Amino acid sequence: MKKYVCEPCGYIYDPTDGDPDGGIDPGTAFEDIPDDWVCPVCGVGKEEFSVLEE
Amino acid sequence: MKAKEIAPDIYWVGAIDSQIRNFHGYLTQKGTTYNAYLIIDEKITLIDTVKDTHTDEMMSRISDIIDPSKIDVIICNHVEPDHSGSMPAVLKHCPNATVVTGPTGEKGLNMHYNNNWNYHIVKSGDTYSIGKRSCQFVLTPMVHWPDNMVFYIPEEKILFSNDSFGQHYATPQRFDDEVVKDFALFEAKKYYANIVLPYSGQVKKELEAVSEFDISMICTSHGVIWRSYIPEIIELYKEWAHNVTQKKVVIAYDTMWKTTEKMARTIYEAFDEKGYDIKIMDLQVNHESDVMTEIIDAEYICVGSPTLNSEMMANVAKFLTYMRGLAPKDGRKAIAFGSYGWNAKSVPHIEQYFKDSNFDVVLSLNQQYRPTEEDLESIKAQTINVLS
């Protein structure tokens, strides 16, 4: 599963960790996150995220 | 205007904005300062600038020390216009200067000023030498914009913290120990509550990163420089970032014909009986930014409004909208209360804001028209009950 980076603030969504505070269980692929989820750091929507190139 | 030497060859060259009272909605009773710093080293380095309205004041202070065309490096810790606003003016004097900033800083500066400046992009852990001194950078995204960063100069033990640890506090004094200590700490608290609070998670990361540094001076971008009360301000930041609350309640309300006010006073009595520190704040006369300052360390938040044409009072809606944006992420315990004539709508509106703010609504109280003694006794008893 790929990591995604929030373009505005740099937060990295790691599917291994999920976002438990935002209701996303560890192990959830970014693609499977509901569309109303927002970046836990800066509050923008999923559309502002892009695949993290490592 | 005179520059102020704060360490050998390091000068404060900022501006004092004593008159400002509305800082994008934040009531700045004591005005503010925009702190820029100039370091005379092999590379003459300017650290941040000021709001464009105060460009002349800053340029005059810079010119007190050097010809501005000799500036080699401008470090931009934060793109917000109160710190970057004078960059175009400075760069007219020194068009070949290197602008040192983070990747989001470059993006933001380009979007603000459509420039072709010479950039040197840094990331966390990078060091940039300006001669005898070196700058160690830590990116601090979302404290409180994506571009925020801070840096440390080990040779001087100075942290240039930009907005972190700042205070909207206009004073001709530059250091914490030259002003009334409680004023500086209070304004730092108000600043945290109104600017930084929703980003406490990021503040924790910043505090961890800067704990590596041996700091003897924190040069902020607003207000006084910390040198004598560094342990105090760091400890307070830790408490605020970790949402440490006191046995304290904030009761904020508006009222039409005094019923909601009576409810507020009755809730006050209940908390008083239980030994709480109480801040009761009529939203007709208290600014929402002052209410936020009290919320930062309060265990309970109580908000009251009468119903007005199926809505809450506009003062309350204004406050709640402001509070929802700044709400501490761990939430708080909350009580919604209000009066009505025939259509009890204000309390559900308040409850919705609380839920959106991740607050736990422990009690809702509605009162039709005028409360009897029994009604007030019931309100008090119900409040005491949730506190027991």
Side-chain angles (χ1 to χ4, degrees):
Chain A
M1 286 188 288
K2 284 180 177 148
K3 292 180 186 172
Y4 278 70
V5 63
C6 174
E7 289 291 342
C9 80
Y11 164 80
I12 292 166
Y13 177 80
D14 183 341
T16 314
D17 302 330
D19 172 28
D21 291 341
I24 309 300
D25 292 332
T28 307
F30 186 82
E31 296 76 12
D32 296 332
I33 296 175
D35 288 339
D36 60 357
W37 176 82
V38 295
C39 171
V41 175
C42 74
V44 301
K46 272 183 80 173
E47 64 281 3
E48 299 285 341
F49 280 72
S50 55
V51 177
L52 178 69
E53 308 292 347
E54 287 182 294
Chain B
M1 296 275 185
K2 290 280 177 198
K4 162 96 179 173
E5 191 168 31
I6 58 162
D9 288 332
I10 303 181
Y11 298 87
W12 176 85
V13 292
I16 302 172
D17 192 349
S18 308
Q19 305 281 359
I20 188 168
R21 291 294 177 272
N22 179 355
F23 199 101
H24 54 58
Y26 170 161
L27 176 67
T28 47
Q29 289 103 326
K30 289 194 171 68
T32 195
T33 68
Y34 313 109
N35 298 338
Y37 302 92
L38 186 71
I39 304 181
I40 307 301
D41 204 323
E42 285 162 34
K43 290 178 188 164
I44 293 176
T45 301
L46 178 66
I47 299 157
D48 294 317
T49 66
V50 300
K51 194 172 164 183
D52 60 357
T53 49
H54 287 68
T55 300
D56 290 350
E57 188 177 333
M58 180 192 69
M59 294 312 295
S60 140
R61 289 200 164 96
I62 293 173
S63 304
D64 180 37
I65 306 300
I66 48 130
D67 177 347
S69 67
K70 297 200 180 328
I71 294 172
D72 299 299
V73 173
I74 303 172
I75 300 179
C76 174
N77 286 311
H78 182 21
V79 174
E80 197 169 9
D82 52 334
H83 305 297
S84 71
S86 302
M87 284 183 69
V90 176
L91 277 139
K92 272 190 189 150
H93 291 275
C94 50
N96 297 319
T98 301
V99 174
V100 176
T101 191
T104 45
E106 180 188 14
K107 229 191 276 179
L109 287 172
N110 275 318
M111 284 189 274
H112 275 76
Y113 308 111
N114 188 27
N115 56 76
N116 55 357
W117 299 334
N118 302 319
Y119 286 98
H120 176 88
I121 303 304
V122 292
K123 52 185 196 307
S124 282
D126 284 1
T127 296
Y128 182 83
S129 173
I130 56 169
K132 286 180 283 180
R133 301 172 181 84
S134 55
C135 307
Q136 300 179 354
F137 292 91
V138 177
L139 303 192
T140 57
M142 297 317 295
V143 187
H144 62 116
W145 274 25
D147 46 77
N148 276 92
M149 65 179 198
V150 303
F151 70 92
Y152 177 69
I153 297 187
E155 296 82 0
E156 304 283 350
K157 298 187 178 177
I158 296 180
L159 179 70
F160 288 90
S161 68
N162 195 267
D163 279 346
S164 300
F165 312 110
Q167 333 96 48
H168 283 317
Y169 186 9
T171 161
Q173 284 79 31
R174 297 277 57 86
F175 291 104
D176 54 356
D177 49 31
E178 297 172 336
V179 299
V180 177
K181 178 184 179 184
D182 286 351
F183 283 6
L185 292 174
F186 177 84
E187 292 303 333
K189 181 181 185 181
K190 182 167 184 180
Y191 192 93
Y192 194 100
N194 285 279
I195 303 281
V196 188
L197 185 55
Y199 309 114
S200 286
Q202 303 303 105
V203 174
K204 283 184 215 165
K205 288 183 194 165
E206 176 179 349
L207 288 171
E208 201 182 309
V210 303
S211 69
E212 308 286 316
F213 304 140
D214 176 16
I215 301 169
S216 64
M217 207 184 278
I218 300 178
C219 291
T220 60
S221 62
H222 294 291
V224 292
I225 296 165
W226 301 101
R227 68 176 175 191
S228 292
Y229 308 127
I230 291 172
E232 285 95 329
I233 189 64
I234 297 270
E235 189 52 36
L236 284 168
Y237 256 63
K238 279 185 191 159
E239 285 181 16
W240 300 330
H242 285 87
N243 288 296
V244 175
T245 56
Q246 312 296 328
K247 192 175 179 185
K248 174 179 168 182
V249 57
V250 176
I251 305 169
Y253 68 96
D254 197 352
T255 194
M256 287 167 68
W257 299 108
K258 304 290 182 194
T259 293
T260 303
E261 184 168 64
K262 275 187 186 152
M263 297 175 82
R265 298 216 164 270
T266 306
I267 292 166
Y268 182 113
E269 284 172 27
F271 276 93
D272 191 39
E273 267 187 33
K274 286 291 176 185
Y276 276 76
D277 176 17
I278 306 166
K279 297 291 173 193
I280 183 161
M281 305 180 92
D282 177 352
L283 292 169
Q284 287 180 15
V285 292
N286 283 281
H287 195 270
E288 56 269 19
S289 56
D290 286 320
V291 185
M292 277 315 302
T293 313
E294 298 300 339
I295 283 178
I296 191 173
D297 54 1
E299 183 185 347
Y300 281 89
I301 316 298
C302 308
V303 176
S305 174
T307 296
L308 176 64
N309 302 321
S310 306
E311 292 289 346
M312 52 188 154
M313 301 280 284
N315 274 335
V316 181
K318 182 182 179 215
F319 160 66
L320 285 173
T321 301
Y322 189 70
M323 188 197 73
R324 184 173 59 185
L326 291 165
K329 288 280 188 279
D330 74 326
R332 290 288 189 269
K333 287 182 272 192
I335 295 176
F337 64 99
S339 59
Y340 66 100
W342 53 93
N343 184 16
K345 284 287 163 58
S346 61
V347 169
H349 286 315
I350 296 167
E351 284 173 344
Q352 189 57 50
Y353 271 89
F354 281 158
K355 284 172 192 160
D356 293 346
S357 306
N358 197 27
F359 286 13
D360 181 15
V361 184
V362 295
L363 182 64
S364 293
L365 296 161
N366 277 290
Q367 175 63 52
Q368 188 171 21
Y369 288 128
R370 319 297 288 173
T372 62
E373 282 305 312
E374 291 73 34
D375 290 333
L376 293 175
E377 274 167 30
S378 166
I379 288 169
K380 188 171 168 184
Q382 289 180 69
T383 308
I384 286 177
N385 190 40
V386 298
L387 301 180
S388 302

